[in-house]
PDB file of all heavy atoms in Angstrom:
ATOM      1  N   LYS A 188      -6.785  -3.142   7.776  1.00 98.00           N
ATOM      2  CA  LYS A 188      -6.567  -3.980   6.586  1.00 98.00           C
ATOM      3  C   LYS A 188      -5.194  -3.629   6.001  1.00 98.00           C
ATOM      4  O   LYS A 188      -4.735  -2.482   6.119  1.00 98.00           O
ATOM      5  CB  LYS A 188      -7.652  -3.711   5.536  1.00 98.00           C
ATOM      6  CG  LYS A 188      -9.047  -4.145   5.944  1.00 98.00           C
ATOM      7  CD  LYS A 188      -9.725  -4.909   4.824  1.00 98.00           C
ATOM      8  CE  LYS A 188     -10.778  -5.915   5.247  1.00 98.00           C
ATOM      9  NZ  LYS A 188     -11.384  -5.794   6.527  1.00 98.00           N
ATOM     10  N   PHE A 189      -4.576  -4.634   5.390  1.00 98.00           N
ATOM     11  CA  PHE A 189      -3.208  -4.422   4.914  1.00 98.00           C
ATOM     12  C   PHE A 189      -3.090  -4.390   3.393  1.00 98.00           C
ATOM     13  O   PHE A 189      -3.809  -5.095   2.691  1.00 98.00           O
ATOM     14  CB  PHE A 189      -2.291  -5.528   5.457  1.00 98.00           C
ATOM     15  CG  PHE A 189      -2.035  -5.369   6.930  1.00 98.00           C
ATOM     16  CD1 PHE A 189      -2.739  -6.125   7.853  1.00 98.00           C
ATOM     17  CD2 PHE A 189      -1.123  -4.434   7.385  1.00 98.00           C
ATOM     18  CE1 PHE A 189      -2.521  -5.962   9.216  1.00 98.00           C
ATOM     19  CE2 PHE A 189      -0.897  -4.259   8.742  1.00 98.00           C
ATOM     20  CZ  PHE A 189      -1.597  -5.026   9.659  1.00 98.00           C
ATOM     21  N   LEU A 190      -2.150  -3.558   2.947  1.00 98.00           N
ATOM     22  CA  LEU A 190      -1.830  -3.434   1.526  1.00 98.00           C
ATOM     23  C   LEU A 190      -0.397  -3.924   1.303  1.00 98.00           C
ATOM     24  O   LEU A 190       0.422  -3.904   2.240  1.00 98.00           O
ATOM     25  CB  LEU A 190      -1.912  -1.962   1.088  1.00 98.00           C
ATOM     26  CG  LEU A 190      -3.247  -1.254   1.313  1.00 98.00           C
ATOM     27  CD1 LEU A 190      -3.065   0.265   1.168  1.00 98.00           C
ATOM     28  CD2 LEU A 190      -4.297  -1.771   0.318  1.00 98.00           C
ATOM     29  N   THR A 191      -0.093  -4.307   0.081  1.00 98.00           N
ATOM     30  CA  THR A 191       1.271  -4.735  -0.262  1.00 98.00           C
ATOM     31  C   THR A 191       2.205  -3.517  -0.264  1.00 98.00           C
ATOM     32  O   THR A 191       1.855  -2.482  -0.832  1.00 98.00           O
ATOM     33  CB  THR A 191       1.264  -5.381  -1.673  1.00 98.00           C
ATOM     34  OG1 THR A 191       0.319  -6.452  -1.647  1.00 98.00           O
ATOM     35  CG2 THR A 191       2.629  -5.910  -2.064  1.00 98.00           C
ATOM     36  N   PRO A 192       3.369  -3.635   0.368  1.00 98.00           N
ATOM     37  CA  PRO A 192       4.289  -2.476   0.358  1.00 98.00           C
ATOM     38  C   PRO A 192       4.995  -2.345  -0.991  1.00 98.00           C
ATOM     39  O   PRO A 192       5.199  -3.342  -1.678  1.00 98.00           O
ATOM     40  CB  PRO A 192       5.305  -2.853   1.451  1.00 98.00           C
ATOM     41  CG  PRO A 192       5.315  -4.347   1.459  1.00 98.00           C
ATOM     42  CD  PRO A 192       3.921  -4.794   1.074  1.00 98.00           C
ATOM     43  N   PRO A 193       5.388  -1.130  -1.346  1.00 98.00           N
ATOM     44  CA  PRO A 193       6.077  -0.925  -2.636  1.00 98.00           C
ATOM     45  C   PRO A 193       7.564  -1.303  -2.535  1.00 98.00           C
ATOM     46  O   PRO A 193       8.438  -0.465  -2.714  1.00 98.00           O
ATOM     47  CB  PRO A 193       5.886   0.577  -2.873  1.00 98.00           C
ATOM     48  CG  PRO A 193       5.812   1.157  -1.495  1.00 98.00           C
ATOM     49  CD  PRO A 193       5.185   0.120  -0.615  1.00 98.00           C
ATOM     50  N   HIS A 194       7.801  -2.584  -2.225  1.00 97.00           N
ATOM     51  CA  HIS A 194       9.175  -3.062  -1.989  1.00 97.00           C
ATOM     52  C   HIS A 194       9.705  -3.623  -3.308  1.00 97.00           C
ATOM     53  O   HIS A 194       9.580  -4.816  -3.601  1.00 97.00           O
ATOM     54  CB  HIS A 194       9.122  -4.146  -0.904  1.00 97.00           C
ATOM     55  CG  HIS A 194      10.452  -4.530  -0.352  1.00 97.00           C
ATOM     56  ND1 HIS A 194      11.641  -4.125  -0.920  1.00 97.00           N
ATOM     57  CD2 HIS A 194      10.792  -5.291   0.721  1.00 97.00           C
ATOM     58  CE1 HIS A 194      12.650  -4.608  -0.210  1.00 97.00           C
ATOM     59  NE2 HIS A 194      12.153  -5.328   0.788  1.00 97.00           N
ATOM     60  N   VAL A 195      10.304  -2.737  -4.094  1.00 97.00           N
ATOM     61  CA  VAL A 195      10.679  -3.048  -5.469  1.00 97.00           C
ATOM     62  C   VAL A 195      11.616  -4.262  -5.553  1.00 97.00           C
ATOM     63  O   VAL A 195      11.481  -5.102  -6.453  1.00 97.00           O
ATOM     64  CB  VAL A 195      11.340  -1.800  -6.104  1.00 97.00           C
ATOM     65  CG1 VAL A 195      11.865  -2.107  -7.488  1.00 97.00           C
ATOM     66  CG2 VAL A 195      10.326  -0.666  -6.153  1.00 97.00           C
ATOM     67  N   TYR A 196      12.549  -4.370  -4.609  1.00 97.00           N
ATOM     68  CA  TYR A 196      13.517  -5.485  -4.659  1.00 97.00           C
ATOM     69  C   TYR A 196      12.815  -6.840  -4.543  1.00 97.00           C
ATOM     70  O   TYR A 196      13.242  -7.828  -5.115  1.00 97.00           O
ATOM     71  CB  TYR A 196      14.548  -5.324  -3.537  1.00 97.00           C
ATOM     72  CG  TYR A 196      15.553  -6.450  -3.504  1.00 97.00           C
ATOM     73  CD1 TYR A 196      16.499  -6.597  -4.530  1.00 97.00           C
ATOM     74  CD2 TYR A 196      15.543  -7.388  -2.470  1.00 97.00           C
ATOM     75  CE1 TYR A 196      17.409  -7.640  -4.522  1.00 97.00           C
ATOM     76  CE2 TYR A 196      16.451  -8.431  -2.462  1.00 97.00           C
ATOM     77  CZ  TYR A 196      17.387  -8.547  -3.484  1.00 97.00           C
ATOM     78  OH  TYR A 196      18.276  -9.587  -3.482  1.00 97.00           O
ATOM     79  N   ARG A 197      11.704  -6.870  -3.801  1.00 96.00           N
ATOM     80  CA  ARG A 197      10.953  -8.119  -3.622  1.00 96.00           C
ATOM     81  C   ARG A 197       9.928  -8.262  -4.746  1.00 96.00           C
ATOM     82  O   ARG A 197       8.717  -8.197  -4.532  1.00 96.00           O
ATOM     83  CB  ARG A 197      10.273  -8.120  -2.240  1.00 96.00           C
ATOM     84  CG  ARG A 197      11.247  -8.229  -1.114  1.00 96.00           C
ATOM     85  CD  ARG A 197      11.516  -9.692  -0.772  1.00 96.00           C
ATOM     86  NE  ARG A 197      12.881  -9.905  -0.300  1.00 96.00           N
ATOM     87  CZ  ARG A 197      13.668 -10.887  -0.721  1.00 96.00           C
ATOM     88  NH1 ARG A 197      13.239 -11.745  -1.610  1.00 96.00           N
ATOM     89  NH2 ARG A 197      14.878 -11.034  -0.230  1.00 96.00           N
ATOM     90  N   SER A 198      10.435  -8.438  -5.977  1.00 93.00           N
ATOM     91  CA  SER A 198       9.575  -8.400  -7.165  1.00 93.00           C
ATOM     92  C   SER A 198       8.530  -9.517  -7.142  1.00 93.00           C
ATOM     93  O   SER A 198       7.497  -9.415  -7.805  1.00 93.00           O
ATOM     94  CB  SER A 198      10.428  -8.490  -8.428  1.00 93.00           C
ATOM     95  OG  SER A 198      11.347  -9.551  -8.284  1.00 93.00           O
ATOM     96  N   GLU A 199       8.776 -10.582  -6.346  1.00 94.00           N
ATOM     97  CA  GLU A 199       7.802 -11.695  -6.268  1.00 94.00           C
ATOM     98  C   GLU A 199       6.456 -11.219  -5.714  1.00 94.00           C
ATOM     99  O   GLU A 199       5.423 -11.854  -5.923  1.00 94.00           O
ATOM    100  CB  GLU A 199       8.359 -12.857  -5.421  1.00 94.00           C
ATOM    101  CG  GLU A 199       8.512 -12.603  -3.920  1.00 94.00           C
ATOM    102  CD  GLU A 199       9.873 -12.002  -3.549  1.00 94.00           C
ATOM    103  OE1 GLU A 199      10.592 -11.498  -4.436  1.00 94.00           O
ATOM    104  OE2 GLU A 199      10.207 -12.028  -2.340  1.00 94.00           O
ATOM    105  N   LEU A 200       6.454 -10.074  -5.010  1.00 96.00           N
ATOM    106  CA  LEU A 200       5.197  -9.551  -4.450  1.00 96.00           C
ATOM    107  C   LEU A 200       4.231  -9.097  -5.542  1.00 96.00           C
ATOM    108  O   LEU A 200       3.028  -8.990  -5.311  1.00 96.00           O
ATOM    109  CB  LEU A 200       5.482  -8.347  -3.537  1.00 96.00           C
ATOM    110  CG  LEU A 200       6.261  -8.582  -2.246  1.00 96.00           C
ATOM    111  CD1 LEU A 200       6.621  -7.250  -1.601  1.00 96.00           C
ATOM    112  CD2 LEU A 200       5.433  -9.429  -1.284  1.00 96.00           C
ATOM    113  N   PHE A 201       4.760  -8.783  -6.721  1.00 97.00           N
ATOM    114  CA  PHE A 201       3.943  -8.083  -7.720  1.00 97.00           C
ATOM    115  C   PHE A 201       3.574  -8.941  -8.933  1.00 97.00           C
ATOM    116  O   PHE A 201       3.003  -8.422  -9.896  1.00 97.00           O
ATOM    117  CB  PHE A 201       4.672  -6.805  -8.168  1.00 97.00           C
ATOM    118  CG  PHE A 201       5.205  -6.011  -7.008  1.00 97.00           C
ATOM    119  CD1 PHE A 201       6.559  -5.976  -6.726  1.00 97.00           C
ATOM    120  CD2 PHE A 201       4.321  -5.363  -6.157  1.00 97.00           C
ATOM    121  CE1 PHE A 201       7.050  -5.274  -5.631  1.00 97.00           C
ATOM    122  CE2 PHE A 201       4.801  -4.660  -5.058  1.00 97.00           C
ATOM    123  CZ  PHE A 201       6.165  -4.622  -4.796  1.00 97.00           C
ATOM    124  N   GLY A 202       3.929 -10.225  -8.877  1.00 95.00           N
ATOM    125  CA  GLY A 202       3.549 -11.173  -9.943  1.00 95.00           C
ATOM    126  C   GLY A 202       3.884 -10.677 -11.345  1.00 95.00           C
ATOM    127  O   GLY A 202       3.071 -10.824 -12.260  1.00 95.00           O
ATOM    128  N   GLY A 203       5.021 -10.055 -11.486  1.00 95.00           N
ATOM    129  CA  GLY A 203       5.461  -9.629 -12.815  1.00 95.00           C
ATOM    130  C   GLY A 203       4.960  -8.242 -13.218  1.00 95.00           C
ATOM    131  O   GLY A 203       5.425  -7.670 -14.199  1.00 95.00           O
ATOM    132  N   GLU A 204       4.007  -7.702 -12.464  1.00 97.00           N
ATOM    133  CA  GLU A 204       3.471  -6.371 -12.793  1.00 97.00           C
ATOM    134  C   GLU A 204       4.425  -5.284 -12.271  1.00 97.00           C
ATOM    135  O   GLU A 204       5.202  -5.513 -11.346  1.00 97.00           O
ATOM    136  CB  GLU A 204       2.096  -6.243 -12.097  1.00 97.00           C
ATOM    137  CG  GLU A 204       1.203  -5.181 -12.680  1.00 97.00           C
ATOM    138  CD  GLU A 204      -0.179  -5.183 -12.009  1.00 97.00           C
ATOM    139  OE1 GLU A 204      -0.584  -6.224 -11.441  1.00 97.00           O
ATOM    140  OE2 GLU A 204      -0.825  -4.128 -12.049  1.00 97.00           O
ATOM    141  N   ASP A 205       4.341  -4.097 -12.815  1.00 98.00           N
ATOM    142  CA  ASP A 205       5.107  -2.969 -12.285  1.00 98.00           C
ATOM    143  C   ASP A 205       4.672  -2.729 -10.826  1.00 98.00           C
ATOM    144  O   ASP A 205       3.463  -2.702 -10.543  1.00 98.00           O
ATOM    145  CB  ASP A 205       4.818  -1.729 -13.140  1.00 98.00           C
ATOM    146  CG  ASP A 205       5.405  -0.488 -12.509  1.00 98.00           C
ATOM    147  OD1 ASP A 205       6.615  -0.286 -12.668  1.00 98.00           O
ATOM    148  OD2 ASP A 205       4.652   0.262 -11.838  1.00 98.00           O
ATOM    149  N   PRO A 206       5.634  -2.598  -9.881  1.00 98.00           N
ATOM    150  CA  PRO A 206       5.273  -2.506  -8.456  1.00 98.00           C
ATOM    151  C   PRO A 206       4.266  -1.399  -8.136  1.00 98.00           C
ATOM    152  O   PRO A 206       3.300  -1.623  -7.399  1.00 98.00           O
ATOM    153  CB  PRO A 206       6.606  -2.238  -7.760  1.00 98.00           C
ATOM    154  CG  PRO A 206       7.631  -2.768  -8.677  1.00 98.00           C
ATOM    155  CD  PRO A 206       7.091  -2.636 -10.069  1.00 98.00           C
ATOM    156  N   VAL A 207       4.476  -0.206  -8.712  1.00 98.00           N
ATOM    157  CA  VAL A 207       3.561   0.896  -8.389  1.00 98.00           C
ATOM    158  C   VAL A 207       2.172   0.617  -8.982  1.00 98.00           C
ATOM    159  O   VAL A 207       1.152   0.798  -8.317  1.00 98.00           O
ATOM    160  CB  VAL A 207       4.120   2.254  -8.873  1.00 98.00           C
ATOM    161  CG1 VAL A 207       3.106   3.362  -8.638  1.00 98.00           C
ATOM    162  CG2 VAL A 207       5.428   2.563  -8.148  1.00 98.00           C
ATOM    163  N   GLU A 208       2.160   0.137 -10.226  1.00 98.00           N
ATOM    164  CA  GLU A 208       0.860  -0.182 -10.847  1.00 98.00           C
ATOM    165  C   GLU A 208       0.118  -1.228 -10.031  1.00 98.00           C
ATOM    166  O   GLU A 208      -1.093  -1.130  -9.803  1.00 98.00           O
ATOM    167  CB  GLU A 208       1.060  -0.670 -12.285  1.00 98.00           C
ATOM    168  CG  GLU A 208       1.235   0.494 -13.252  1.00 98.00           C
ATOM    169  CD  GLU A 208       1.630   0.036 -14.642  1.00 98.00           C
ATOM    170  OE1 GLU A 208       1.348  -1.123 -15.010  1.00 98.00           O
ATOM    171  OE2 GLU A 208       2.241   0.860 -15.350  1.00 98.00           O
ATOM    172  N   PHE A 209       0.872  -2.253  -9.561  1.00 98.00           N
ATOM    173  CA  PHE A 209       0.259  -3.304  -8.737  1.00 98.00           C
ATOM    174  C   PHE A 209      -0.343  -2.707  -7.458  1.00 98.00           C
ATOM    175  O   PHE A 209      -1.494  -2.951  -7.115  1.00 98.00           O
ATOM    176  CB  PHE A 209       1.326  -4.361  -8.374  1.00 98.00           C
ATOM    177  CG  PHE A 209       0.808  -5.444  -7.464  1.00 98.00           C
ATOM    178  CD1 PHE A 209       0.413  -6.674  -7.985  1.00 98.00           C
ATOM    179  CD2 PHE A 209       0.706  -5.247  -6.089  1.00 98.00           C
ATOM    180  CE1 PHE A 209      -0.077  -7.682  -7.157  1.00 98.00           C
ATOM    181  CE2 PHE A 209       0.210  -6.244  -5.254  1.00 98.00           C
ATOM    182  CZ  PHE A 209      -0.177  -7.459  -5.789  1.00 98.00           C
ATOM    183  N   CYS A 210       0.457  -1.897  -6.764  1.00 98.00           N
ATOM    184  CA  CYS A 210       0.020  -1.338  -5.464  1.00 98.00           C
ATOM    185  C   CYS A 210      -1.203  -0.429  -5.648  1.00 98.00           C
ATOM    186  O   CYS A 210      -2.128  -0.457  -4.835  1.00 98.00           O
ATOM    187  CB  CYS A 210       1.149  -0.562  -4.804  1.00 98.00           C
ATOM    188  SG  CYS A 210       2.501  -1.612  -4.258  1.00 98.00           S
ATOM    189  N   ILE A 211      -1.191   0.368  -6.681  1.00 98.00           N
ATOM    190  CA  ILE A 211      -2.301   1.304  -6.895  1.00 98.00           C
ATOM    191  C   ILE A 211      -3.560   0.555  -7.312  1.00 98.00           C
ATOM    192  O   ILE A 211      -4.659   0.842  -6.847  1.00 98.00           O
ATOM    193  CB  ILE A 211      -1.900   2.386  -7.938  1.00 98.00           C
ATOM    194  CG1 ILE A 211      -0.723   3.217  -7.396  1.00 98.00           C
ATOM    195  CG2 ILE A 211      -3.079   3.272  -8.300  1.00 98.00           C
ATOM    196  CD1 ILE A 211      -0.940   3.855  -6.044  1.00 98.00           C
ATOM    197  N   ARG A 212      -3.374  -0.458  -8.184  1.00 98.00           N
ATOM    198  CA  ARG A 212      -4.526  -1.281  -8.585  1.00 98.00           C
ATOM    199  C   ARG A 212      -5.118  -1.963  -7.339  1.00 98.00           C
ATOM    200  O   ARG A 212      -6.333  -1.994  -7.140  1.00 98.00           O
ATOM    201  CB  ARG A 212      -4.065  -2.325  -9.612  1.00 98.00           C
ATOM    202  CG  ARG A 212      -5.211  -3.057 -10.304  1.00 98.00           C
ATOM    203  CD  ARG A 212      -4.702  -3.997 -11.396  1.00 98.00           C
ATOM    204  NE  ARG A 212      -3.614  -4.859 -10.984  1.00 98.00           N
ATOM    205  CZ  ARG A 212      -3.748  -5.898 -10.167  1.00 98.00           C
ATOM    206  NH1 ARG A 212      -4.921  -6.205  -9.673  1.00 98.00           N
ATOM    207  NH2 ARG A 212      -2.696  -6.630  -9.825  1.00 98.00           N
ATOM    208  N   GLN A 213      -4.251  -2.488  -6.473  1.00 98.00           N
ATOM    209  CA  GLN A 213      -4.728  -3.159  -5.262  1.00 98.00           C
ATOM    210  C   GLN A 213      -5.467  -2.187  -4.343  1.00 98.00           C
ATOM    211  O   GLN A 213      -6.530  -2.495  -3.803  1.00 98.00           O
ATOM    212  CB  GLN A 213      -3.524  -3.767  -4.517  1.00 98.00           C
ATOM    213  CG  GLN A 213      -3.902  -4.568  -3.295  1.00 98.00           C
ATOM    214  CD  GLN A 213      -2.693  -4.836  -2.413  1.00 98.00           C
ATOM    215  OE1 GLN A 213      -1.955  -3.916  -2.047  1.00 98.00           O
ATOM    216  NE2 GLN A 213      -2.482  -6.109  -2.119  1.00 98.00           N
TER     217      GLN A 213
END
Side-chain angles (χ1 to χ4, degrees):
K188 293 226 153 21
F189 288 100
L190 303 166
T191 304
H194 192 349
V195 175
Y196 179 69
R197 291 271 148 226
S198 48
E199 69 271 16
L200 294 171
F201 313 107
E204 200 176 337
D205 171 80
V207 175
E208 278 172 24
F209 177 99
C210 292
I211 297 305
R212 191 175 49 73
Q213 184 195 52

